[in-house]
Amino acid sequence: MSVNCSRPVERYLMASLWSPGIFLVLVLALPLKTLPLVTLAETNVYIVYMGDKLHDEPELVQESHHELLADIVGSKDAAKESILYSYKHGFSGFAAVLTKSQEKLIADFPGVAGVVRNRIISSHTTRSWDFLQVKPQLAGRISKGHSGAGSIIGVMDTGIWPESKSFRDEGMAEVPSRWRGICQEGEGFNRSHCNRKIIGARWYVKGYEAEFGKLNTSDGDEFLSPRDAGGHGTHTSSTATGGPVESASFMGLAQGLARGGAPISLAGRLQSLLGYRWLR
Ligand SMILES: *[C@@H]1O[C@H](CO)[C@@H](O)[C@H](O)[C@H]1NC(C)=O
Ligand SMILES: *[C@@H]1O[C@H](CO)[C@@H](O)[C@H](O)[C@H]1NC(C)=O
């Protein structure tokens, strides 16, 4: 019955559209009209900062992020898909893939302190302490203070080259039991690369890949792991925590004594890495 009914309509359509001009216009107009609505709403990664966390339980903090975002993107499932990272320990916030208009909406939400767009930071610079005009006397003072014994330092940078002599752990005590970080594995980096000096390492690539697509590491410019391809992170972590290494240089440049500020320099590109080192 429905077939019979539709036939005259079909014939009518065919007749009225059977002009090559109109036909072409329709074929071109359909994708042009529908695409922008469906797929071309441009998205970017934004970091939503919410200040102090309102719960002590990390899971509750993360749950509050999903609830807030669900109001913007329509559902909890969509919220979970759009969130890349939840910040739920030191403060409350999250990184999410949003359109410009969603970003505007969320910025006005109660409890949201600020929203910043994700961006790529390029690294500069063996002599950070000289640049900062920190004198050896200070290093002496640090030594008197047992050179940071018992301290745990977190460094956010391009990663770490764990074979560097700066990170040898001879003579170091066991990892403190209060430490709850992990040694995250990846390309060229496994758990055996952490030691009593590098007590943890993590890598973060979701923000980059959400905006620019899969990171192709075949050229060796990056590792999908805490391993540092560019050298900046190794430089800054050893500046912060490394023991002194004579004749250190970056491929023959900037040769000199590399020393750690607490008996120690760093930077980053596509992947921001969080490495933790424990000082002597
Ligand atoms: C970790 O990596 C090292 C050096 O690359 C290798 O010798 C070792 O077998 C690896 N360990 C595991 C458990 O894969
Ligand atoms: C990665 O880049 C190399 C060249 O640098 C290319 O040959 C290879 O096909 C790329 N892989 C992917 C998955 O795109």
Side-chain angles (χ1 to χ4, degrees):
M1 217 166 107
S2 63
V3 171
N4 281 343
C5 283
S6 71
R7 269 185 185 154
V9 178
E10 235 176 78
R11 267 200 298 275
Y12 169 75
L13 276 176
M14 288 302 282
S16 60
L17 296 180
W18 197 239
S19 131
I22 293 177
F23 187 68
L24 262 183
V25 166
L26 272 179
V27 168
L28 289 176
L30 272 177
L32 284 179
K33 266 193 88 109
T34 51
L35 269 182
L37 294 173
V38 177
T39 59
L40 292 188
E42 197 191 328
T43 57
N44 290 106
V45 175
Y46 293 91
I47 294 130
V48 178
Y49 176 60
M50 302 176 68
D52 289 343
K53 57 199 167 73
L54 300 177
H55 306 278
D56 284 333
E57 286 292 313
E59 285 70 28
L60 289 179
V61 180
Q62 185 167 17
E63 181 67 17
S64 72
H65 300 155
H66 291 157
E67 275 165 14
L68 188 154
L69 196 56
D71 281 349
I72 304 276
V73 298
S75 73
K76 269 228 173 129
D77 284 343
K80 283 181 189 165
E81 220 163 88
S82 129
I83 284 195
L84 302 174
Y85 294 108
S86 271
Y87 310 114
K88 47 189 189 277
H89 296 287
F91 60 92
S92 176
F94 56 88
V97 179
L98 301 169
T99 64
K100 188 84 196 129
S101 52
Q102 289 169 338
E103 182 259 332
K104 287 229 163 70
L105 279 175
I106 222 162
D108 287 337
F109 253 62
V112 171
V115 182
V116 288
R117 171 118 182 243
N118 187 36
R119 64 198 171 98
I120 290 179
I121 301 169
S122 56
S123 52
H124 303 276
T125 101
T126 317
R127 292 205 181 104
S128 305
W129 291 109
D130 296 333
F131 175 72
L132 295 172
Q133 301 192 323
V134 173
K135 303 259 158 47
Q137 292 92 297
L138 176 62
R141 213 174 298 152
I142 293 167
S143 305
K144 274 191 206 129
H146 304 293
S147 305
S151 308
I152 294 171
I153 296 183
V155 179
M156 198 82 180
D157 213 300
T158 57
I160 196 160
W161 195 262
E163 291 83 4
S164 163
K165 286 181 183 163
S166 294
F167 308 121
R168 285 190 301 208
D169 67 352
E170 280 100 23
M172 294 194 65
E174 289 303 313
V175 174
S177 58
R178 69 179 196 277
W179 175 247
R180 289 190 293 154
I182 65 163
C183 189
Q184 193 180 6
E185 304 199 318
E187 282 178 0
F189 198 98
N190 63 35
R191 245 158 277 176
S192 73
H193 291 109
C194 286
N195 59 19
R196 282 170 293 165
K197 187 144 200 146
I198 303 171
I199 63 174
R202 306 193 62 146
W203 51 289
Y204 303 89
V205 75
K206 287 187 205 166
Y208 175 83
E209 291 194 336
E211 294 206 52
F212 304 104
K214 280 263 168 259
L215 185 59
N216 184 342
T217 57
S218 64
D219 58 5
D221 276 356
E222 289 288 345
F223 292 97
L224 289 171
S225 79
R227 185 172 287 277
D228 178 21
H232 195 281
T234 302
H235 177 55
T236 47
S237 335
S238 61
T239 301
T241 71
V245 177
E246 304 259 5
S247 303
S249 72
F250 179 66
M251 295 171 126
L253 297 173
Q255 190 144 5
L257 172 74
R259 62 192 162 93
I264 338 173
S265 258
L266 274 189
R269 279 187 317 176
L270 309 184
Q271 99 207 57
S272 36
L273 167 109
L274 184 59
Y276 300 90
R277 334 266 176 268
W278 183 35
L279 301 190
R280 271 166 210 275

